[in-house]
Amino acid sequence: MNRIVFILSIVLLIAFYILWVQSGHSFGGIIIIIGIMALVYFRRRYLNMKPYWAGSLRDIPKYFKLP
């Protein structure tokens, strides 16, 4: 997943969350958490980064850079 798809996916996820809450449904936070975890997983996989337990949090800015 490249940078543009990653950022657009986050924007769409937030828009979906806003629509979900406005429509009166509950458990929107769970959708956000699972969605962000999936997006971060695929972004890390695309960048060939180490898994969470072997990496550090200093590599988070790499999510928004080109590989």
Side-chain angles (χ1 to χ4, degrees), residues 3-67:
R3 177 180 55 174
I4 294 171
V5 172
F6 177 69
I7 293 171
L8 286 176
S9 297
I10 289 176
V11 170
L12 288 174
L13 187 62
I14 292 169
F16 178 74
Y17 171 74
I18 292 170
L19 290 173
W20 184 267
V21 171
Q22 291 296 323
S23 66
H25 297 355
S26 56
F27 303 112
I30 294 171
I31 294 171
I32 286 288
I33 291 170
I34 293 171
I36 292 292
M37 287 172 53
L39 287 175
V40 168
Y41 168 78
F42 286 117
R43 182 64 176 165
R44 289 181 70 91
R45 189 170 178 195
Y46 177 77
L47 292 175
N48 294 322
M49 298 171 80
K50 294 179 182 176
Y52 300 112
W53 55 89
S56 70
L57 296 177
R58 293 181 300 204
D59 61 359
I60 290 174
K62 292 179 186 175
Y63 299 163
F64 299 96
K65 295 180 182 175
L66 292 173

